[in-house]
Short mmCIF file of all heavy atoms in Angstrom, two decimals:
data_model
loop_
_atom_site.label_atom_id
_atom_site.label_comp_id
_atom_site.label_asym_id
_atom_site.label_seq_id
_atom_site.Cartn_x
_atom_site.Cartn_y
_atom_site.Cartn_z
N THR A 172 -9.36 -23.90 1.86
CA THR A 172 -10.43 -23.77 0.92
C THR A 172 -11.17 -25.12 0.71
O THR A 172 -10.45 -26.17 0.57
CB THR A 172 -9.95 -23.21 -0.42
OG1 THR A 172 -9.37 -21.92 -0.20
CG2 THR A 172 -11.05 -23.10 -1.44
N TYR A 173 -12.48 -25.07 0.61
CA TYR A 173 -13.27 -26.31 0.49
C TYR A 173 -14.29 -26.11 -0.61
O TYR A 173 -14.66 -24.99 -0.92
CB TYR A 173 -13.97 -26.59 1.80
CG TYR A 173 -13.05 -26.69 2.93
CD1 TYR A 173 -12.59 -25.55 3.60
CD2 TYR A 173 -12.48 -27.93 3.31
CE1 TYR A 173 -11.67 -25.64 4.65
CE2 TYR A 173 -11.58 -28.03 4.32
CZ TYR A 173 -11.16 -26.89 4.98
OH TYR A 173 -10.20 -26.99 6.01
N PHE A 176 -21.44 -28.62 -2.89
CA PHE A 176 -22.49 -28.49 -3.86
C PHE A 176 -23.73 -27.82 -3.23
O PHE A 176 -24.01 -27.96 -2.05
CB PHE A 176 -23.00 -29.86 -4.41
CG PHE A 176 -22.00 -30.47 -5.43
CD1 PHE A 176 -21.41 -31.66 -5.19
CD2 PHE A 176 -21.83 -29.84 -6.58
CE1 PHE A 176 -20.54 -32.22 -6.13
CE2 PHE A 176 -21.00 -30.34 -7.57
CZ PHE A 176 -20.36 -31.57 -7.33
N GLU A 178 -27.65 -26.99 -2.58
CA GLU A 178 -28.99 -27.60 -2.62
C GLU A 178 -29.96 -26.53 -2.18
O GLU A 178 -29.79 -25.90 -1.12
CB GLU A 178 -29.03 -28.81 -1.63
CG GLU A 178 -30.16 -29.74 -1.88
CD GLU A 178 -30.05 -30.95 -0.94
OE1 GLU A 178 -29.37 -31.91 -1.28
OE2 GLU A 178 -30.57 -30.90 0.18
N SER A 181 -32.71 -20.63 -2.24
CA SER A 181 -32.87 -19.35 -1.50
C SER A 181 -31.84 -18.31 -1.87
O SER A 181 -31.88 -17.20 -1.42
CB SER A 181 -32.87 -19.59 -0.01
OG SER A 181 -31.54 -19.82 0.45
N GLU A 199 -10.73 -16.16 5.05
CA GLU A 199 -11.25 -14.81 4.96
C GLU A 199 -11.84 -14.37 6.31
O GLU A 199 -12.39 -15.17 7.06
CB GLU A 199 -12.33 -14.72 3.91
CG GLU A 199 -11.93 -15.19 2.54
CD GLU A 199 -10.90 -14.28 1.82
OE1 GLU A 199 -11.00 -13.06 2.12
OE2 GLU A 199 -10.03 -14.77 1.12
N PHE A 215 -24.97 -27.42 7.13
CA PHE A 215 -24.23 -26.34 6.45
C PHE A 215 -25.30 -25.52 5.68
O PHE A 215 -26.06 -26.07 4.90
CB PHE A 215 -23.25 -26.89 5.41
CG PHE A 215 -22.01 -27.51 6.02
CD1 PHE A 215 -21.66 -28.81 5.78
CD2 PHE A 215 -21.19 -26.69 6.83
CE1 PHE A 215 -20.50 -29.34 6.34
CE2 PHE A 215 -20.00 -27.19 7.36
CZ PHE A 215 -19.67 -28.55 7.13
N CYS A 217 -25.91 -21.74 3.38
CA CYS A 217 -25.24 -20.61 2.68
C CYS A 217 -26.22 -19.42 2.69
O CYS A 217 -27.37 -19.56 2.21
CB CYS A 217 -24.92 -21.04 1.23
SG CYS A 217 -24.44 -19.65 0.14
N VAL A 247 -19.73 -19.60 11.89
CA VAL A 247 -19.34 -19.28 10.50
C VAL A 247 -18.30 -20.28 10.08
O VAL A 247 -17.29 -20.49 10.77
CB VAL A 247 -18.79 -17.82 10.42
CG1 VAL A 247 -18.35 -17.59 8.99
CG2 VAL A 247 -19.89 -16.87 10.79
N GLU A 248 -18.47 -20.88 8.94
CA GLU A 248 -17.52 -21.85 8.44
C GLU A 248 -16.62 -21.31 7.36
O GLU A 248 -15.61 -21.93 7.01
CB GLU A 248 -18.24 -23.10 7.92
CG GLU A 248 -18.99 -23.91 8.93
CD GLU A 248 -18.13 -24.60 9.93
OE1 GLU A 248 -16.97 -24.91 9.54
OE2 GLU A 248 -18.58 -24.89 11.05
N PHE B 259 -16.50 -31.98 8.62
CA PHE B 259 -17.55 -31.84 7.55
C PHE B 259 -18.87 -32.40 7.94
O PHE B 259 -19.72 -32.69 7.12
CB PHE B 259 -17.05 -32.47 6.26
CG PHE B 259 -15.92 -31.68 5.65
CD1 PHE B 259 -14.60 -32.05 5.86
CD2 PHE B 259 -16.19 -30.52 4.92
CE1 PHE B 259 -13.60 -31.28 5.30
CE2 PHE B 259 -15.17 -29.81 4.37
CZ PHE B 259 -13.82 -30.13 4.60
N ARG B 264 -20.75 -32.77 15.82
CA ARG B 264 -19.70 -32.07 16.55
C ARG B 264 -19.90 -32.08 18.05
O ARG B 264 -18.94 -32.05 18.80
CB ARG B 264 -19.60 -30.62 16.07
CG ARG B 264 -18.99 -30.55 14.71
CD ARG B 264 -18.57 -29.13 14.37
NE ARG B 264 -18.16 -29.05 12.97
CZ ARG B 264 -18.14 -27.93 12.26
NH1 ARG B 264 -18.51 -26.79 12.86
NH2 ARG B 264 -17.72 -27.92 11.03
N ARG B 325 -3.45 -30.13 5.07
CA ARG B 325 -3.92 -28.74 5.32
C ARG B 325 -3.36 -28.22 6.64
O ARG B 325 -2.95 -27.08 6.74
CB ARG B 325 -5.46 -28.72 5.33
CG ARG B 325 -6.07 -28.93 3.97
CD ARG B 325 -7.56 -29.28 4.13
NE ARG B 325 -8.11 -29.55 2.79
CZ ARG B 325 -8.77 -28.64 2.05
NH1 ARG B 325 -8.94 -27.40 2.51
NH2 ARG B 325 -9.28 -28.96 0.89
N LYS B 372 -9.36 -21.92 12.73
CA LYS B 372 -10.18 -21.16 11.75
C LYS B 372 -10.07 -21.72 10.32
O LYS B 372 -11.05 -21.91 9.64
CB LYS B 372 -9.69 -19.65 11.75
CG LYS B 372 -10.51 -18.75 10.84
CD LYS B 372 -10.23 -17.28 11.10
CE LYS B 372 -11.08 -16.33 10.33
NZ LYS B 372 -10.79 -16.27 8.86
N HIS B 373 -8.83 -21.99 9.90
CA HIS B 373 -8.63 -22.42 8.49
C HIS B 373 -8.98 -23.90 8.27
O HIS B 373 -9.40 -24.27 7.17
CB HIS B 373 -7.16 -22.22 8.11
CG HIS B 373 -6.84 -20.77 7.92
ND1 HIS B 373 -5.74 -20.28 7.21
CD2 HIS B 373 -7.50 -19.60 8.34
CE1 HIS B 373 -5.72 -19.00 7.25
NE2 HIS B 373 -6.76 -18.59 7.92
N ARG B 375 -10.30 -26.09 10.93
CA ARG B 375 -11.31 -26.61 11.89
C ARG B 375 -10.85 -27.78 12.65
O ARG B 375 -11.59 -28.75 12.97
CB ARG B 375 -12.61 -26.97 11.16
CG ARG B 375 -13.69 -25.95 11.15
CD ARG B 375 -14.11 -25.48 12.52
NE ARG B 375 -15.11 -24.40 12.43
CZ ARG B 375 -14.81 -23.13 12.29
NH1 ARG B 375 -13.58 -22.70 12.37
NH2 ARG B 375 -15.81 -22.21 12.16
N PRO B 657 -19.34 -32.01 0.36
CA PRO B 657 -20.47 -31.71 1.27
C PRO B 657 -21.54 -30.96 0.50
O PRO B 657 -21.32 -30.27 -0.48
CB PRO B 657 -19.82 -30.88 2.34
CG PRO B 657 -18.51 -30.39 1.82
CD PRO B 657 -18.04 -31.37 0.79
N ILE B 659 -24.43 -28.06 0.68
CA ILE B 659 -24.67 -26.81 1.45
C ILE B 659 -26.10 -26.37 1.15
O ILE B 659 -26.49 -26.20 -0.01
CB ILE B 659 -23.64 -25.73 1.06
CG1 ILE B 659 -22.24 -26.20 1.39
CG2 ILE B 659 -23.97 -24.42 1.75
CD1 ILE B 659 -21.13 -25.42 0.72
N GLN B 660 -26.91 -26.20 2.20
CA GLN B 660 -28.27 -25.81 2.01
C GLN B 660 -28.39 -24.31 1.72
O GLN B 660 -27.87 -23.49 2.42
CB GLN B 660 -29.09 -26.07 3.31
CG GLN B 660 -28.94 -27.50 3.83
CD GLN B 660 -29.76 -28.47 3.01
OE1 GLN B 660 -30.73 -28.10 2.34
NE2 GLN B 660 -29.37 -29.75 3.10
N CYS B 661 -29.16 -24.02 0.68
CA CYS B 661 -29.37 -22.58 0.35
C CYS B 661 -30.88 -22.24 0.59
O CYS B 661 -31.71 -23.11 0.46
CB CYS B 661 -29.00 -22.26 -1.10
SG CYS B 661 -27.22 -22.06 -1.29
#
Side-chain angles (χ1 to χ4, degrees):
Chain A
T172 300
Y173 304 84
F176 283 118
E178 198 176 272
S181 77
E199 305 289 329
F215 285 123
C217 169
V247 175
E248 295 289 336
Chain B
F259 291 98
R264 285 193 190 162
R325 290 164 182 265
K372 183 169 186 285
H373 288 196
R375 263 303 178 272
I659 299 165
Q660 308 284 339
C661 281

